[in-house]
Amino acid sequence: MRIGILGSGLMGGKLGTIFSRAGHEVVFSYARSKDKLNKLARDAGGKARAGTPRDAAQDADAVLLAVHWSRVDDVVKQAGDVSGKVIISCSLPMNADDTGLVVAHTSSGAEELAKKVPEARVVSALNTVPSEVLFDVFERRSKATRPSLVYCGDDAKSKTIAAALIRDVGFEPVDAGPLRIARYTEPFALLVAQLAYEGNDGPELAYRFERFGK
Ligand SMILES: NC(=O)c1ccc[n+]([C@@H]2O[C@H](COP(=O)([O-])OP(=O)(O)OC[C@H]3O[C@@H](n4cnc5c(N)ncnc54)[C@H](OP(=O)(O)O)[C@@H]3O)[C@@H](O)[C@H]2O)c1
């Protein structure tokens, strides 16, 4: 697939690198320096390259949105026409100092994003794990037991693409339902962050759901 990365920081940089190593054609965009984007593309190998948000979105089979909530409007504007595009958002609707959600309970960041870009197909995914686990999960992807990763969205075809990419990273995708379920997955992401960064075990934390009974 062609994957455009909008926001090449901790999440976008690592996920773009993994997607490239998994064989996808990746365009890294949106960082404060072009040098950083070029270095990410070089280090990712394969067919990765650096570009503008517009380059990243154009011809992409999927776009990863990985910016702070305060940068969403800007990067979406720079991306240009996203009609029909699959946007996989790992962005959480955090306040300026990352201490709380600015959208919750009766809506979610994912739903607000879908309202901003009604012509796109939004999936909420890859935001319930700390970036620190991503390379380890990718390295261990051939093991029998994979960590779970929840995702949600309203469009079946986009969810199939998101699930394939989640699997490429090394997780077992868990379909949590329609996009409104992001009202629950986004606060869940904060629980994981609490355990990862303020608990005793450090950020190298992923999770696994087990099904019991029928
Ligand atoms: N990090 C995690 O573990 C984690 C986990 C779950 C969800 N999330 C969510 O994922 C999203 C991204 O998080 P992150 O940790 O990857 O953030 P980040 O490291 O700060 O990455 C954001 C990217 O946006 C770029 N950027 C910021 N302001 C810009 C500007 N004015 N012009 C151009 N580029 C700009 C940054 O550029 P520079 O590279 O130059 O700084 C960076 O590449 C957030 O919504 C966060 O809530 C993060």
Side-chain angles (χ1 to χ4, degrees):
M1 282 188 248
R2 287 189 188 187
I3 302 175
I5 306 291
L6 299 180
S8 298
L10 290 173
M11 293 298 278
K14 290 188 177 102
L15 286 167
T17 300
I18 289 170
F19 294 147
S20 178
R21 291 185 183 156
H24 300 290
E25 203 175 309
V26 170
V27 180
F28 288 99
S29 79
Y30 207 72
R32 274 166 282 224
S33 96
K34 185 83 200 288
D35 286 351
K36 177 182 175 175
L37 295 174
N38 283 330
K39 181 170 185 334
L40 272 171
R42 263 196 320 276
D43 293 351
K47 290 184 192 154
R49 63 185 175 88
T52 63
R54 193 172 291 267
D55 297 329
Q58 212 172 29
D59 302 326
D61 298 298
V63 169
L64 177 77
L65 181 72
V67 292
H68 189 273
W69 189 244
S70 59
R71 306 304 314 171
V72 168
D73 288 339
D74 184 50
V75 77
V76 163
K77 188 167 167 226
Q78 289 195 37
D81 183 12
V82 289
S83 305
K85 294 280 174 216
V86 175
I87 299 185
I88 299 172
S89 175
C90 72
S91 291
L92 294 167
M94 302 300 291
N95 60 9
D97 61 3
D98 285 324
T99 53
L101 293 168
V102 293
V103 182
H105 308 305
T106 54
S107 186
S108 60
E111 289 165 280
E112 295 306 310
L113 172 67
K115 285 184 207 157
K116 290 177 195 287
V117 284
E119 68 285 10
R121 299 180 285 167
V122 174
V123 178
S124 173
L126 293 159
N127 51 15
T128 51
V129 287
S131 69
E132 286 86 346
V133 304
L134 296 170
F135 285 130
D136 280 352
V137 169
F138 182 63
E139 288 306 316
R140 294 181 208 185
R141 66 195 178 283
S142 54
K143 297 216 164 145
T145 307
R146 291 172 162 225
S148 309
L149 194 122
V150 291
Y151 67 106
C152 60
D154 291 333
D155 178 71
K157 199 174 148 210
S158 320
K159 288 174 83 172
T160 304
I161 289 175
L165 291 173
I166 290 167
R167 225 172 257 117
D168 282 347
V169 180
F171 292 104
E172 187 56 42
V174 175
D175 184 349
L179 199 62
R180 66 178 166 75
I181 301 303
R183 295 173 198 184
Y184 314 136
T185 60
E186 288 173 2
F188 172 73
L190 267 63
L191 166 67
V192 175
Q194 168 71 23
L195 294 171
Y197 300 111
E198 293 178 41
N200 295 325
D201 295 329
E204 291 78 19
L205 181 79
Y207 57 89
R208 175 156 182 84
F209 295 141
E210 306 259 356
R211 190 177 292 277
F212 295 97
K214 281 197 169 179

